[in-house]
């Protein structure tokens, strides 16, 4: 491909996207090195004295990259293939309601003790999300997105390496076993074991179900499984077990098409999946060394307490921006404002507390619109490399939903910068039309509408 201006812009913006992921992933690298080589503590990631060792520039680097991505995505003319995304009235309506709900949340901050600085700080995750959404609409290209996904493998291998070093330190200095999953939990270069595990689980999904097959991917999947085991995250282990099950089912369905029969799925497939899920959860809990209900009841109790203590207006529109945010809890630790210490602990609870049922409804609508590929067209590529249009990427919606639902119930995605850009780009990946490298066939009753396109002029 010729390096025309639009190609260079696309490469640069996709590099910025990767920079957001990389800077978020390696944000606590210096803290991890300090704990490993100078002053080991198996729970250093919970101690403020360690967290304060993070340089100031490292804290804001991901935000700088996000601002740059937003500004440059708007500044440069659109470089996405013209057939990539279609105008969707539902998305436009949802985006409009997002602005309204965000304005309500900001307005309600006036009646709190929040400073302007704190309100702006609470907007950081949403600015990062908006930046990725604008980028996806105007510049997302599957060919370059593939290499963003591939590059995350280098970041993930670094995480596995540090998870190994942290487990080794726990074995040598604290006397724990190598497979004592629930005792001393590795965090890699993140600030929590769940963030490590769910990042590795996401890259596990990318290698298993999205990126093109490769003979060494099994080794990568094995390494990530070990890293998740060292983190002691039950959600992470459950996700990869379910992803493996779905992947095996998909391969078997190609060999034995009968197992895709709807009646068979309803009477045997769904019950079998529930049995396997329950069994996997039980096995994961036994590995973790913790009771089955410990984490789940904690999050359910948080939600119950919010319902019991909140007025009707706040349930509909939310309390205020930042309510339930771990960020606010850290910044307000010395103010004594106990009513602002509420910690949501999951994505849906976080949205509910800040934007009410209106925000939850909008959030679900956006996810459903993006994940539902409404295109009934197949585009046939003539005399050109199909990989340029498709990136060689696959679309596995079931695996994505398994990851997304479990993750949304475990952490606050909007404060998890390392995964947020990857999750959003995956949602837009499902909107890509089908590209086939062959001559178009005549339309038949009930078949897809077909279109033929020529190679892009600028490549």
């Amino acid at each position: 491909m010729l390096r025309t201006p639009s190609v260079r812009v696309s490469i640069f913006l996709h590099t910025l996207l990767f920079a957001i992921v990389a800077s978020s992933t390696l944000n606590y690298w210096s803290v991890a090195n300090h704990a490993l080589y100078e002053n080991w503590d198996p729970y250093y990631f919970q101690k403020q004295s360690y967290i304060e060792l993070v340089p100031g520039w490292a804290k804001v680097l991901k935000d700088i990259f996000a601002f740059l991505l937003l500004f440059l995505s708007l500044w440069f003319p659109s470089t996405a293939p013209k057939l990539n995304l279609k105008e969707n009235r539902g998305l436009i309506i949802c985006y409009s309601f997002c602005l309204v709900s965000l304005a309500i949340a900001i307005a309600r901050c006036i009646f709190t003790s929040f400073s302007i600085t704190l309100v702006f700080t609470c907007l950081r995750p949403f600015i990062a999300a908006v930046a990725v959404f604008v980028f996806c609409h105007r510049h997302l290209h599957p060919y370059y997105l593939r290499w963003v996904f591939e590059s995350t493998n280098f970041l993930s291998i670094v995480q596995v390496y540090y998870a190994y070093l942290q487990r080794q330190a726990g074995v040598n200095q604290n006397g724990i076993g190598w497979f004592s999953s629930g005792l001393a939990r590795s965090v890699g270069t993140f600030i929590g074991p769940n963030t490590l595990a769910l990042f590795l689980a996401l890259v596990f999904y990318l290698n298993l179900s999205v990126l093109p097959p490769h003979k060494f991917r099994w080794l990568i999947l094995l390494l990530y499984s070990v890293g998740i085991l060292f983190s002691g995250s039950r959600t992470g282990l459950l996700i990869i077990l379910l992803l493996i099950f779905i992947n095996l089912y998909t391969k078997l369905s190609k060999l034995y098409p009968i197992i895709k029969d709807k009646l068979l799925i309803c009477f045997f497939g769904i019950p079998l999946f529930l049995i396997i899920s329950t069994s996997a959860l039980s096995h994961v809990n036994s590995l973790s060394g913790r009771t089955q209900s410990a984490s789940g009841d904690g999050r359910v109790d948080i939600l119950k307490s919010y319902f019991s203590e909140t007025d009707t207006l706040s349930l509909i529109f939310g309390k205020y921006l930042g309510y339930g945010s771990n960020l606010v809890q850290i910044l307000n630790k010395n103010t004594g404002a106990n009513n602002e210490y509420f910690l949501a602990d999951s994505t849906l609870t976080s949205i509910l507390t800040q934007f009410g049922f209106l925000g939850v409804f909008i959030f679900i609508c956006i996810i459903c619109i993006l994940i539902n590929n409404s295109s009934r067209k197949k585009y046939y590529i003539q005399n050109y490399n199909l990989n340029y249009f498709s990136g060689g990427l696959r679309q596995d919606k079931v695996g994505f939903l398994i990851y997304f639902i479990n993750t949304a119930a475990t952490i606050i995605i909007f404060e998890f910068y390392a995964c947020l850009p990857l999750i959003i780009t995956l949602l837009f990946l499902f909107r890509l039309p089908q590209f086939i490298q062959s001559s178009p066939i005549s339309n038949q009753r009930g078949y897809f509408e077909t279109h033929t396109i020529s190679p892009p002029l600028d490549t």
Side-chain angles (χ1 to χ4, degrees):
M1 291 182 296
L2 298 176
R3 292 293 178 88
T4 61
S6 62
V7 171
R8 288 194 291 267
V9 167
S10 186
I11 292 174
F12 178 68
L13 292 179
H14 282 79
T15 303
L16 267 182
L17 178 72
F18 174 73
I20 296 174
V21 178
S23 58
S24 305
T25 304
L26 305 175
N27 196 23
Y28 294 95
W29 192 333
S30 58
V31 178
N33 283 326
H34 178 78
L36 284 169
Y37 302 115
E38 297 183 36
N39 188 16
W40 171 250
D41 186 317
Y43 295 100
Y44 74 88
F45 52 88
Q46 297 177 351
K47 298 183 181 297
Q48 190 66 27
S49 58
Y50 282 80
I51 297 174
E52 289 174 351
L53 297 175
V54 180
W57 62 266
K59 296 178 181 179
V60 300
L61 190 60
K62 57 184 178 294
D63 300 298
I64 293 174
F65 287 138
F67 270 112
L68 279 174
L69 183 66
L70 176 60
F71 174 76
L72 294 178
S73 294
L74 292 169
W75 177 265
F76 291 117
S78 176
T79 61
K82 298 304 180 184
L83 298 174
N84 249 14
L85 299 168
K86 302 297 179 184
E87 290 295 331
N88 188 297
R89 184 173 298 178
L91 268 182
I92 295 174
I93 294 173
C94 286
Y95 291 163
S96 301
F97 275 111
C98 278
L99 290 175
V100 171
S101 60
L102 184 60
I104 293 173
I106 294 175
R108 299 196 75 178
C109 287
I110 297 173
F111 302 99
T112 69
S113 59
F114 282 12
S115 64
I116 298 297
T117 303
L118 186 55
V119 172
F120 178 76
T121 304
C122 294
L123 284 171
R124 290 166 57 198
F126 300 100
I127 293 173
V130 169
V132 180
F133 266 86
V134 171
F135 162 80
C136 288
H137 274 291
R138 294 177 54 81
H139 301 282
L140 182 68
H141 197 298
Y143 181 79
Y144 304 113
L145 180 63
R146 178 203 169 167
W147 297 109
V148 173
F149 288 162
E150 293 281 13
S151 300
T152 57
N153 282 315
F154 294 101
L155 301 174
S156 302
I157 290 172
V158 170
Q159 300 308 310
V160 174
Y161 175 69
Y162 271 85
Y164 164 78
L165 292 179
Q166 289 157 359
R167 177 51 57 93
Q168 185 181 53
V171 170
N172 294 337
Q173 301 188 41
N174 302 102
I176 68 169
W178 278 100
F179 297 101
S180 301
S181 182
L183 297 180
R185 307 174 66 183
S186 297
V187 297
T189 60
F190 287 103
I191 200 57
N194 273 338
T195 50
L196 166 66
L198 296 176
F199 176 76
L200 291 179
L202 178 56
V203 186
F204 185 100
Y205 162 74
L206 293 177
N207 284 273
L208 182 68
S209 304
V210 178
L211 290 166
H214 191 278
K215 60 182 178 180
F216 291 120
R217 294 218 188 272
W218 67 269
L219 178 60
I220 292 175
L221 297 178
L222 180 62
L223 286 174
Y224 298 164
S225 301
V226 172
I228 293 172
L229 179 64
F230 286 165
S231 74
S233 170
R234 294 178 292 177
T235 304
L237 288 172
L238 181 62
I239 287 172
I240 63 171
L241 288 175
L242 293 179
L243 287 175
I244 292 171
F245 170 76
I246 292 297
N247 189 262
L248 289 175
Y249 169 79
T250 302
K251 291 183 176 180
L252 287 175
S253 66
K254 295 178 180 179
L255 297 175
Y256 307 101
I258 191 175
I259 66 176
K260 293 192 294 184
D261 183 81
K262 292 182 180 179
L263 191 63
L264 194 65
I265 291 175
C266 289
F267 284 95
F268 296 98
I270 295 177
L272 180 62
F273 180 75
L274 292 175
I275 292 172
I276 291 176
S277 300
T278 305
S279 176
L281 181 60
S282 176
H283 186 62
V284 165
N285 276 300
S286 66
L287 281 175
S288 69
R290 290 174 287 165
T291 61
Q292 182 171 350
S293 60
S295 179
D297 280 353
R299 291 185 173 90
V300 172
D301 288 340
I302 287 173
L303 193 57
K304 287 180 179 178
S305 67
Y306 178 72
F307 280 121
S308 62
E309 299 172 5
T310 306
D311 59 279
T312 304
L313 187 64
S314 295
L315 286 175
I316 297 174
F317 296 105
K319 281 221 168 187
Y320 45 80
L321 185 67
Y323 187 72
S325 168
N326 188 43
L327 180 64
V328 174
Q329 190 180 36
I330 292 172
L331 295 176
N332 272 353
K333 61 183 181 296
N334 297 321
T335 64
N338 293 326
N339 62 318
E340 295 175 351
Y341 279 175
F342 180 85
L343 180 60
D345 212 20
S346 72
T347 297
L348 289 178
T349 306
S350 174
I351 296 174
L352 178 67
T353 56
Q354 296 186 56
F355 305 103
F357 281 109
L358 174 64
V360 172
F361 176 74
I362 297 169
F363 175 78
I364 294 175
C365 284
I366 291 176
I367 299 300
C368 291
I369 291 171
L370 290 176
I371 206 169
N372 178 32
N373 190 348
S374 57
S375 175
R376 295 286 296 173
K377 300 176 182 178
K378 285 185 177 180
Y379 295 93
Y380 292 89
I381 311 302
Q382 289 187 337
N383 303 322
Y384 200 71
N385 185 7
L386 175 64
N387 195 47
Y388 176 80
F389 293 93
S390 67
L393 299 176
R394 297 170 287 167
Q395 297 183 7
D396 174 21
K397 297 180 183 179
V398 176
F400 175 83
L401 285 174
I402 287 174
Y403 174 83
F404 185 80
I405 292 172
N406 282 281
T407 303
T410 306
I411 64 171
I412 301 177
I413 293 178
F414 293 114
E415 295 182 2
F416 193 15
Y417 288 80
C419 278
L420 183 63
L422 302 177
I423 290 173
I424 295 174
T425 52
L426 279 169
L427 285 171
F428 277 85
L429 181 64
F430 297 137
R431 298 291 299 169
L432 294 176
Q434 300 182 55
F435 293 106
I436 298 177
Q437 191 166 18
S438 65
S439 60
I441 63 174
S442 58
N443 286 335
Q444 300 175 3
R445 187 177 181 85
Y447 194 71
F448 288 92
E449 182 182 354
T450 60
H451 294 262
T452 305
I453 58 176
S454 301
L457 297 177
D458 60 347
T459 57

